[in-house]
Amino acid sequence: MKKFLSMFKKNKATGKRNTYLIMGTIITGLIVIIVLVGLFYTPYSPTKMDSSAKLQGFSFKHIMGTDHMGRDVFSRVVYGSRITLAIATFTVLIGAGLGTIIGAITGYFGGILDEFTMRVVDAMLAFPSILLSLVFVSLFGTGTYQVAIALGISFVPSFARIVRGEVLRCKNMDYVEVARLQGVSDLRIIFVHILPNITGVLVSTIMIGFNNAVLAEAGLSFLGIGSQPPYASLGNMLSDAQSYLFSRPSYVLGIGATIVLMVLGFSFLSEGMKRWK
Amino acid sequence: MGSDKVIQIKNLNVFYKNHKKSPLSKDRKVHVLKGVDLDVYEGEILGLAGESGCGKSTLAKAIVGMNKDFTGEIIQKYQDAQMVFQDPYSSLNPSKKIGWLLAEPLKVDKTKKWTKEEIDAKVKEIIKAIGLTENMLGRYPDQLSGGQRQRVSIGVALMRSPKVLIADEPVSALDVTIQAQILELLQNLHKEYGITILFISHDLRVIYQICDHVAVMRGGIIEEYGAPKEVYKNPKCDYTKELLVSAGIK
Ligand SMILES: Nc1ncnc2c1ncn2[C@@H]1O[C@H](COP(=O)(O)OP(=O)(O)O)[C@@H](O)[C@H]1O
Ligand SMILES: [Mg+2]
C-alpha cells in the first residue's frame, strides 16, 4: 500500500511525476466508485420507462439525456458499466490465470511440451481475438457468462506468451540455480521464486487486458451476441443507440464517452505501470 | 586412506551441447573438461586458478550436480556441497527480503524439519557470522552494496551448515578493498566452522593469500598442482609462469 502511494510522488531520479499512472488511477477510480455507488443508488431505475420523456437531450434532470424508451441514460450507463466491468474482470481472470500457469510451466520446463504449446498459441494469436471469441461464442452460445468465458479463452494465448518470455528471462539467473542447489522443487521455483519477479509486467499486461476486454465485449454486444437484454452492457446500449446517431446524437454520446473513458483509464494505468520504478 | 579427502575427482570429462551446430552434425557436443583428476582434502582451502573460459565453473557445477553430462567419477564424502556464484547481483532473488532468502534453504530442507524458532535462531546466527546486522534482514537485495550482497550469498550457502563450500570467483566482481573484506570473511568462516572451501579465481595473488593448495587449470586440464609457495617459486609449466607474470608476482 505504501508502495502504491509512493507512485504518486515525484520520481527522485527524474523529478517527474508519473502522469499516466495518476490519470489512469483517477479515471478508473472514478468509474469504479460510480459503479459501486450504482449498486445501491442510481438517479432513476435503469429499466423504468417514461413515454413522456423519450430521447431528451442533456439536462439537470437527465444528465446524459433519455433513450428511445424514455429511460434515464446515465442510470443505464452506470448499470451497463457494471456489466461491462464484470465481464472484463472475469475475462481477464481467466486469461491471466490460465495464461500465467501455461506460460510459466512451458517456459520453465521447455522441451516438446513447450514447443507444442507455443505452436498452438501462435496459431491462436494469428487470428484476431474478436474472430476467436466469435468462434468460442458459437461453441458456448450467447449470454453474459458464455461471452466472458469465450473472451477469457481468447485472451489466454497472449498472456501465456508474455509470461513465458518473462520466465525464460528469469530462469537462467543465478538465483534460480541457487534455489535448485538447495533442492527447492520446480513448482516452488516457478511460483514462489520466479513469479514475484514478473508481477510488474503481469500487472501492466492485465491492465491492457482490461482495456481489450472492454472493447471486445462492447464489440460483441454491438454485434448482438454479447450479454442479452435486460442485462444491457455498454455495447448493447451503443447498439440500441446507433439508429438515433443523427437524430439524437446526445443519446450515443454519453454511452460512447463512457466506453472511451474506461478504455483510456485502463491504458493510462498500463502505460503508467510500465514507466513506474 | 581416502577418508581425509572430501572430494575425489577421477578422470572427469564434461560435455556441453553445442547449440551452434546443426542437429544433423556429428559432434554436437563440446568437450569442456578433458580428464580432470583432483582431490580436495578435509578442512583445506583449495584454490583453482586458470584463465576465463578454461572450465573452472564447469568443474564446480559438475561437483554440485548441475552438470549432468559427464564421464568419470566424482566421489564426495559429504553430499551437501553448496556454491557461491560470481555475480552478487544475479545470485540473490530481487523480489525477496534478506531474511526470506536466508530462511529458504531451511524451509525446503528435506533432511530435517525446522521449526520457526529454529529457523529464526539460525538466521540470526548466520547474519552475524557473515558480518551483517539483524536490521538488514528486512531489506531487499537492491538496498545492499555488492560486498554486502556477496556476504548474503555466502550466508545462504552456509544455512544448512555444509561441510564443503565452493566459491566460484566470489570476489571477481567486487572492488579491491571489498575483495579483501570478503576474503577475510571466508578465512574466518573456514576457521570458525572448519568448512572445506574450493576457492575459484583467475587471480593467482588472491589464491596465494588464502589457499593451502593450488590447482592451475588450462583448456579443461589440471596442468599444475601443489602448495602455493612451491608452485609460485618454481612453476613447472610455462602456463603457470605466464599467469604469475600477468598477476604481477614474477
Ligand atoms: N551452458 C553451456 N553451454 C555450452 N558451452 C558452455 C556452457 N557453459 C560454459 N560453456 C563453455 O565451456 C567453457 C568453459 O566455461 P566455464 O567453465 O564457465 O569457464 P570459466 O569458469 O573457467 O571461465 C567455455 O568455453 C564456455 O564457452
Ligand atoms: Mg566461471
Side-chain angles (χ1 to χ4, degrees):
Chain A
M1 193 61 205
K2 220 172 176 181
K3 212 172 167 190
F4 180 76
L5 287 177
S6 79
M7 73 194 194
F8 294 105
K9 297 205 187 98
K10 280 184 188 168
N11 184 322
K12 279 188 200 109
T14 57
K16 278 185 198 153
R17 267 178 225 279
N18 193 333
T19 324
Y20 283 105
L21 205 55
I22 296 170
M23 296 279 287
T25 311
I26 293 174
I27 297 175
T28 313
L30 207 67
I31 293 175
V32 169
I33 287 171
I34 292 177
V35 165
L36 286 180
V37 170
L39 286 176
F40 307 104
Y41 171 79
T42 46
Y44 297 85
S45 156
T47 48
K48 192 179 142 256
M49 302 179 208
D50 180 357
S51 53
S52 65
K54 283 181 187 172
L55 291 171
Q56 290 184 353
F58 303 148
S59 68
F60 285 112
K61 245 176 111 183
H62 301 284
I63 54 174
M64 282 186 186
T66 58
D67 71 0
H68 58 291
M69 296 194 197
R71 296 172 295 196
D72 178 51
V73 172
F74 179 71
S75 302
R76 287 181 63 71
V77 161
V78 171
Y79 186 79
S81 301
R82 186 203 305 175
I83 305 269
T84 296
L85 278 183
I87 293 177
T89 308
F90 204 65
T91 299
V92 169
L93 277 181
I94 295 177
L98 286 181
T100 301
I101 292 173
I102 292 173
I105 287 179
T106 55
Y108 182 80
F109 289 106
I112 292 178
L113 178 78
D114 176 44
E115 203 60 43
F116 176 75
T117 316
M118 282 308 122
R119 292 300 79 77
V120 174
V121 162
D122 282 343
M124 284 175 80
L125 284 174
F127 295 99
S129 75
I130 189 92
L131 203 64
L132 215 54
S133 356
L134 280 176
V135 171
F136 288 123
V137 167
S138 68
L139 282 177
F140 303 142
T142 56
T144 313
Y145 290 109
Q146 286 86 337
V147 165
I149 292 172
L151 283 176
I153 293 177
S154 73
F155 277 31
V156 169
S158 53
F159 275 102
R161 184 160 272 297
I162 287 167
V163 170
R164 176 180 175 272
E166 286 295 299
V167 169
L168 278 183
R169 182 177 62 78
C170 291
K171 85 167 184 184
N172 290 322
M173 304 288 269
D174 286 342
Y175 66 78
V176 175
E177 302 274 22
V178 170
R180 279 207 202 100
L181 253 181
Q182 291 160 358
V184 183
S185 68
D186 287 325
L187 285 185
R188 188 171 165 88
I189 291 182
I190 296 174
F191 292 104
V192 179
H193 289 247
I194 295 181
L195 266 195
N197 288 297
I198 69 174
T199 43
V201 176
L202 200 55
V203 168
S204 147
T205 313
I206 283 175
M207 288 304 150
I208 303 177
F210 262 106
N211 182 346
N212 292 340
V214 169
L215 282 177
E217 191 281 329
L220 285 185
S221 302
F222 191 78
L223 295 176
I225 49 182
S227 57
Q228 301 295 318
Y231 302 109
S233 70
L234 292 174
N236 290 127
M237 295 165 58
L238 201 61
S239 161
D240 282 346
Q242 62 165 328
S243 3
Y244 305 94
L245 185 58
F246 294 107
S247 57
R248 222 355 134 192
S250 62
Y251 180 10
V252 187
L253 210 60
I255 304 163
T258 309
I259 295 178
V260 169
L261 217 59
M262 222 179 243
V263 168
L264 209 61
F266 286 127
S267 42
F268 276 162
L269 270 186
S270 150
E271 191 60 33
M273 277 167 186
K274 265 189 227 157
R275 295 172 187 220
W276 187 16
K277 268 177 225 178
Chain B
M1 266 305 283
S3 65
D4 59 340
K5 292 174 185 168
V6 285
I7 302 174
Q8 284 174 275
I9 296 163
K10 291 177 182 163
N11 192 23
L12 180 71
N13 292 273
V14 176
F15 307 89
Y16 282 125
K17 267 197 207 119
N18 191 340
H19 295 286
K20 281 182 208 131
K21 296 246 166 92
S22 85
L24 297 176
S25 141
K26 258 190 236 153
D27 48 340
R28 287 191 60 216
K29 285 183 178 174
V30 204
H31 194 169
V32 179
L33 294 189
K34 299 161 184 161
V36 169
D37 292 292
L38 190 65
D39 292 332
V40 186
Y41 293 92
E42 181 126 39
E44 75 164 342
I45 303 184
L46 170 62
L48 179 62
E51 67 189 354
S52 175
C54 72
K56 304 182 299 293
S57 299
T58 305
L59 178 59
K61 288 181 182 173
I63 295 172
V64 296
M66 278 158 58
N67 284 334
K68 297 267 158 40
D69 190 3
F70 68 83
T71 65
E73 266 188 294
I74 304 173
I75 305 165
Q76 297 191 57
K77 191 171 165 193
Y78 313 104
Q79 298 295 326
D80 62 355
Q82 281 292 327
M83 189 161 159
V84 175
F85 291 81
Q86 171 174 358
D87 180 6
Y89 286 89
S90 97
S91 56
L92 297 180
N93 192 333
S95 66
K96 305 293 184 192
K97 290 179 179 165
I98 307 306
W100 191 95
L101 291 168
L102 288 172
E104 179 72 353
L106 302 187
K107 282 192 258 168
V108 300
D109 193 352
K110 289 185 193 79
T111 57
K112 184 184 167 190
K113 190 102 191 74
W114 295 74
T115 66
K116 220 186 153 302
E117 291 74 32
E118 285 172 324
I119 294 180
D120 281 349
K122 186 74 186 174
V123 166
K124 282 178 186 163
E125 178 203 323
I126 292 292
I127 196 91
K128 203 189 270 170
I130 56 177
L132 298 178
T133 50
E134 277 180 30
N135 65 1
M136 301 226 168
L137 292 174
R139 297 208 195 157
Y140 288 94
D142 62 5
Q143 296 169 309
L144 266 53
S145 70
Q148 289 171 330
R149 280 162 173 255
Q150 201 54 297
R151 284 172 191 271
V152 173
S153 292
I154 294 170
V156 170
L158 290 180
M159 281 305 289
R160 292 211 295 241
S161 316
K163 299 282 194 305
V164 181
L165 181 69
I166 298 172
D168 187 2
E169 311 222 21
V171 297
S172 304
L174 305 173
D175 294 343
V176 180
T177 48
I178 311 292
Q179 278 192 10
Q181 292 169 12
I182 298 292
L183 290 178
E184 199 188 320
L185 171 68
L186 284 173
Q187 282 178 301
N188 289 343
L189 294 170
H190 173 243
K191 266 183 230 142
E192 199 172 323
Y193 292 94
I195 193 170
T196 308
I197 301 179
L198 174 56
F199 183 89
I200 300 176
S201 177
H202 60 258
D203 188 345
L204 278 176
R205 266 180 305 184
V206 172
I207 287 183
Y208 185 72
Q209 280 176 39
I210 66 166
C211 295
D212 302 304
H213 283 113
V214 54
V216 179
M217 187 184 242
R218 182 192 195 186
I221 297 166
I222 304 283
E223 289 223 324
E224 180 136 12
Y225 175 86
K229 273 200 183 132
E230 266 131 57
V231 171
Y232 287 33
K233 218 181 274 167
N234 4 306
K236 280 189 226 108
C237 11
D238 297 338
Y239 179 62
T240 314
K241 281 178 205 152
E242 269 173 49
L243 281 183
L244 287 168
V245 170
S246 67
I249 298 173
K250 280 236 155 165

